[in-house]
Amino acid sequence: MADDAAALLRALRTPAAHVAGFSGGSFIAQELALRHPDVVRSLVLMSRMARPDPYFRAMTRYWHWMVERAPDERAMLEAFFLWIYTPRAHADGMVDRLVEETLAFEHPQSVEDFQRQLAAFAEHDTLDRLGRITAPTLVLAGELDLATPPRLGRVVADSIPDAEFEVLPGEAHQPFQEVPDVFNARVDTFWRGVEAGG
Protein backbone atom coordinates (compact mmCIF):
# COMPACT_ATOMS: atom_id res chain seq x y z
CA MET A 1 0.00 0.00 0.00
CA ALA A 2 2.92 2.35 0.67
CA ASP A 3 4.29 1.59 -2.80
CA ASP A 4 0.85 2.27 -4.31
CA ALA A 5 0.62 5.60 -2.47
CA ALA A 6 4.07 6.61 -3.70
CA ALA A 7 3.21 5.61 -7.27
CA LEU A 8 0.02 7.67 -7.16
CA LEU A 9 1.84 10.75 -5.84
CA ARG A 10 4.44 10.43 -8.60
CA ALA A 11 1.81 9.86 -11.29
CA LEU A 12 0.03 13.01 -10.16
CA ARG A 13 3.38 14.85 -10.21
CA THR A 14 2.69 15.88 -6.63
CA PRO A 15 5.63 17.36 -4.77
CA ALA A 16 6.51 15.80 -1.44
CA ALA A 17 3.29 15.60 0.57
CA HIS A 18 2.34 16.18 4.17
CA VAL A 19 1.27 12.66 5.10
CA ALA A 20 -1.13 11.89 7.93
CA GLY A 21 -1.74 8.29 8.88
CA PHE A 22 -4.24 7.01 11.42
CA SER A 23 -4.14 3.54 13.03
CA GLY A 24 -3.46 1.06 10.20
CA GLY A 25 -2.90 4.06 7.96
CA SER A 26 -0.09 5.13 10.26
CA PHE A 27 1.60 1.79 9.58
CA ILE A 28 1.37 2.52 5.86
CA ALA A 29 2.63 6.08 6.42
CA GLN A 30 5.67 4.74 8.29
CA GLU A 31 6.46 2.41 5.39
CA LEU A 32 5.91 5.22 2.90
CA ALA A 33 8.45 7.42 4.69
CA LEU A 34 10.92 4.54 4.92
CA ARG A 35 10.57 3.21 1.37
CA HIS A 36 9.87 6.46 -0.48
CA PRO A 37 11.30 9.37 1.54
CA ASP A 38 11.29 11.64 -1.51
CA VAL A 39 7.48 11.84 -1.55
CA VAL A 40 7.07 12.63 2.17
CA ARG A 41 7.36 16.26 3.32
CA SER A 42 6.23 15.51 6.87
CA LEU A 43 4.48 12.80 8.89
CA VAL A 44 1.61 12.88 11.35
CA LEU A 45 1.13 9.50 12.99
CA MET A 46 -2.08 9.10 15.01
CA SER A 47 -3.01 5.97 16.97
CA ARG A 48 0.16 4.25 15.87
CA MET A 49 2.77 1.70 16.93
CA ALA A 50 6.06 0.37 15.66
CA ARG A 51 5.66 -3.24 16.78
CA PRO A 52 2.71 -5.03 18.39
CA ASP A 53 3.08 -5.80 22.07
CA PRO A 54 1.46 -8.80 23.80
CA TYR A 55 -1.63 -6.77 24.75
CA PHE A 56 -2.19 -5.66 21.15
CA ARG A 57 -1.76 -9.20 19.85
CA ALA A 58 -4.24 -10.55 22.41
CA MET A 59 -6.72 -7.80 21.56
CA THR A 60 -6.58 -8.50 17.82
CA ARG A 61 -6.95 -12.26 18.43
CA TYR A 62 -10.11 -11.46 20.39
CA TRP A 63 -11.41 -9.22 17.61
CA HIS A 64 -10.67 -11.99 15.09
CA TRP A 65 -13.13 -14.40 16.67
CA MET A 66 -15.48 -11.69 17.98
CA VAL A 67 -16.41 -10.69 14.42
CA GLU A 68 -17.34 -14.33 13.71
CA ARG A 69 -19.18 -15.09 16.95
CA ALA A 70 -21.06 -11.90 17.74
CA PRO A 71 -24.81 -12.54 17.46
CA ASP A 72 -25.12 -9.90 14.72
CA GLU A 73 -23.29 -6.96 13.16
CA ARG A 74 -24.79 -4.46 15.60
CA ALA A 75 -23.53 -6.44 18.59
CA MET A 76 -20.10 -6.73 17.01
CA LEU A 77 -19.88 -2.98 16.40
CA GLU A 78 -21.09 -2.14 19.90
CA ALA A 79 -18.39 -4.39 21.37
CA PHE A 80 -15.64 -3.25 18.99
CA PHE A 81 -16.34 0.43 19.58
CA LEU A 82 -15.57 -0.04 23.29
CA TRP A 83 -11.88 -0.03 22.29
CA ILE A 84 -12.23 2.86 19.85
CA TYR A 85 -14.21 5.69 21.44
CA THR A 86 -14.18 7.52 24.76
CA PRO A 87 -16.79 6.93 27.48
CA ARG A 88 -17.99 10.45 26.54
CA ALA A 89 -18.83 9.30 23.00
CA HIS A 90 -20.77 6.35 24.36
CA ALA A 91 -22.68 8.60 26.79
CA ASP A 92 -23.56 11.43 24.41
CA GLY A 93 -24.99 9.23 21.63
CA MET A 94 -22.11 9.57 19.18
CA VAL A 95 -21.37 5.84 19.21
CA ASP A 96 -25.05 5.00 18.68
CA ARG A 97 -25.07 7.26 15.61
CA LEU A 98 -21.86 5.69 14.27
CA VAL A 99 -23.31 2.20 14.70
CA GLU A 100 -26.39 3.23 12.71
CA GLU A 101 -24.28 4.86 9.97
CA THR A 102 -22.07 1.78 9.71
CA LEU A 103 -25.05 -0.57 9.50
CA ALA A 104 -26.59 1.60 6.76
CA PHE A 105 -23.42 1.68 4.66
CA GLU A 106 -24.00 -0.06 1.31
CA HIS A 107 -20.55 -1.63 1.05
CA PRO A 108 -19.72 -3.21 4.42
CA GLN A 109 -16.36 -4.82 5.08
CA SER A 110 -16.60 -8.60 5.05
CA VAL A 111 -15.64 -10.70 8.05
CA GLU A 112 -12.77 -12.18 6.05
CA ASP A 113 -11.42 -8.75 5.04
CA PHE A 114 -11.59 -7.53 8.63
CA GLN A 115 -9.66 -10.60 9.76
CA ARG A 116 -7.04 -10.11 7.03
CA GLN A 117 -6.68 -6.50 8.16
CA LEU A 118 -6.09 -7.68 11.75
CA ALA A 119 -3.50 -10.20 10.55
CA ALA A 120 -1.64 -7.43 8.73
CA PHE A 121 -1.71 -5.26 11.85
CA ALA A 122 -0.24 -8.08 13.92
CA GLU A 123 2.67 -8.41 11.47
CA HIS A 124 3.50 -4.69 11.35
CA ASP A 125 7.06 -4.08 12.51
CA THR A 126 9.07 -0.94 11.71
CA LEU A 127 10.78 -0.55 15.07
CA ASP A 128 14.33 -1.28 13.93
CA ARG A 129 13.99 0.96 10.85
CA LEU A 130 12.26 4.07 12.20
CA GLY A 131 15.61 5.76 12.85
CA ARG A 132 15.96 6.14 9.08
CA ILE A 133 12.94 8.47 8.80
CA THR A 134 14.12 11.99 8.01
CA ALA A 135 10.79 13.77 7.56
CA PRO A 136 9.62 16.04 10.39
CA THR A 137 7.24 13.89 12.41
CA LEU A 138 4.44 14.48 14.89
CA VAL A 139 3.28 11.44 16.85
CA LEU A 140 -0.11 11.80 18.54
CA ALA A 141 -1.73 9.53 21.11
CA GLY A 142 -5.08 9.58 22.84
CA GLU A 143 -4.70 9.40 26.60
CA LEU A 144 -7.58 6.89 26.82
CA ASP A 145 -6.76 4.89 23.68
CA LEU A 146 -7.13 1.21 24.56
CA ALA A 147 -6.22 -0.12 21.12
CA THR A 148 -2.93 1.78 20.64
CA PRO A 149 -2.18 3.37 24.01
CA PRO A 150 0.29 6.22 24.51
CA ARG A 151 3.10 3.85 25.52
CA LEU A 152 3.17 2.54 21.93
CA GLY A 153 3.28 6.07 20.55
CA ARG A 154 6.16 6.98 22.84
CA VAL A 155 8.20 4.12 21.35
CA VAL A 156 7.50 5.41 17.83
CA ALA A 157 8.44 8.99 18.70
CA ASP A 158 11.59 7.93 20.54
CA SER A 159 12.69 5.92 17.50
CA ILE A 160 12.29 8.70 14.90
CA PRO A 161 14.95 11.42 15.02
CA ASP A 162 13.59 14.70 16.43
CA ALA A 163 9.97 13.50 16.36
CA GLU A 164 7.46 15.42 18.47
CA PHE A 165 5.21 13.40 20.77
CA GLU A 166 1.96 14.57 22.27
CA VAL A 167 -0.78 12.89 24.28
CA LEU A 168 -4.26 14.32 23.76
CA PRO A 169 -5.84 14.42 27.24
CA GLY A 170 -9.14 12.62 27.63
CA GLU A 171 -9.15 11.31 24.04
CA ALA A 172 -9.15 7.77 22.66
CA HIS A 173 -8.37 6.14 19.30
CA GLN A 174 -10.20 8.58 17.00
CA PRO A 175 -9.96 12.17 18.24
CA PHE A 176 -10.35 13.48 14.70
CA GLN A 177 -13.97 12.29 14.95
CA GLU A 178 -14.64 13.15 18.58
CA VAL A 179 -12.86 16.53 18.80
CA PRO A 180 -12.10 17.47 15.18
CA ASP A 181 -11.43 21.14 15.93
CA VAL A 182 -8.78 20.25 18.52
CA PHE A 183 -7.20 17.60 16.32
CA ASN A 184 -7.20 19.72 13.16
CA ALA A 185 -5.74 22.75 14.97
CA ARG A 186 -2.86 20.67 16.35
CA VAL A 187 -2.04 19.13 12.97
CA ASP A 188 -2.37 22.49 11.19
CA THR A 189 0.04 24.09 13.67
CA PHE A 190 2.55 21.31 13.02
CA TRP A 191 2.27 21.60 9.24
CA ARG A 192 2.62 25.39 9.36
CA GLY A 193 5.73 24.97 11.49
CA VAL A 194 7.22 22.54 8.97
CA GLU A 195 6.56 24.96 6.12
CA ALA A 196 7.95 27.91 8.07
CA GLY A 197 11.09 25.94 8.82
CA GLY A 198 11.78 25.42 5.15
Side-chain angles (χ1 to χ4, degrees):
M1 285 188 243
D3 293 343
D4 288 345
L8 177 61
L9 287 168
R10 291 184 180 118
L12 295 172
R13 301 186 189 281
T14 301
H18 293 288
V19 176
F22 149 70
S23 195
S26 78
F27 308 163
I28 298 166
Q30 291 169 49
E31 287 291 351
L32 181 64
L34 288 164
R35 296 163 70 107
H36 305 280
D38 60 302
V39 302
V40 178
R41 176 73 177 98
S42 72
L43 275 178
V44 175
L45 303 174
M46 177 73 225
S47 304
R48 65 318 46 167
M49 67 177 174
R51 177 183 291 159
D53 67 1
Y55 177 90
F56 185 89
R57 289 183 186 278
M59 179 185 68
T60 55
R61 283 194 303 270
Y62 173 74
W63 290 349
H64 183 92
W65 67 257
M66 180 183 73
V67 71
E68 290 179 341
R69 299 184 186 207
D72 54 40
E73 189 177 0
R74 178 182 300 279
M76 186 275 176
L77 290 168
E78 289 172 349
F80 177 61
F81 286 169
L82 290 171
W83 278 272
I84 305 303
Y85 296 101
T86 62
R88 177 186 70 239
H90 287 268
D92 69 13
M94 179 181 195
V95 168
D96 291 336
R97 289 190 300 275
L98 290 167
V99 167
E100 294 303 327
E101 289 173 12
T102 304
L103 291 173
F105 186 59
E106 294 180 6
H107 307 285
Q109 185 179 40
S110 71
V111 168
E112 295 77 16
D113 286 346
F114 181 70
Q115 290 172 330
R116 282 195 289 270
Q117 179 181 337
L118 295 176
F121 289 177
E123 295 302 315
H124 170 73
D125 189 345
T126 54
L127 184 59
D128 296 333
R129 297 178 288 137
L130 289 177
R132 298 189 342 230
I133 291 178
T134 57
T137 302
L138 172 64
V139 178
L140 295 172
E143 177 190 21
L144 305 180
D145 188 350
L146 298 175
T148 53
R151 69 177 182 278
L152 298 179
R154 171 54 73 188
V155 171
V156 171
D158 286 349
S159 301
I160 298 173
D162 301 317
E164 298 178 40
F165 178 64
E166 186 173 329
V167 175
L168 302 177
E171 298 310 321
H173 197 64
Q174 302 196 173
F176 53 86
Q177 279 184 300
E178 293 199 48
V179 287
D181 292 343
V182 172
F183 180 82
N184 291 340
R186 180 62 189 95
V187 172
D188 184 64
T189 297
F190 172 69
W191 282 338
R192 289 178 186 276
V194 171
E195 289 300 322

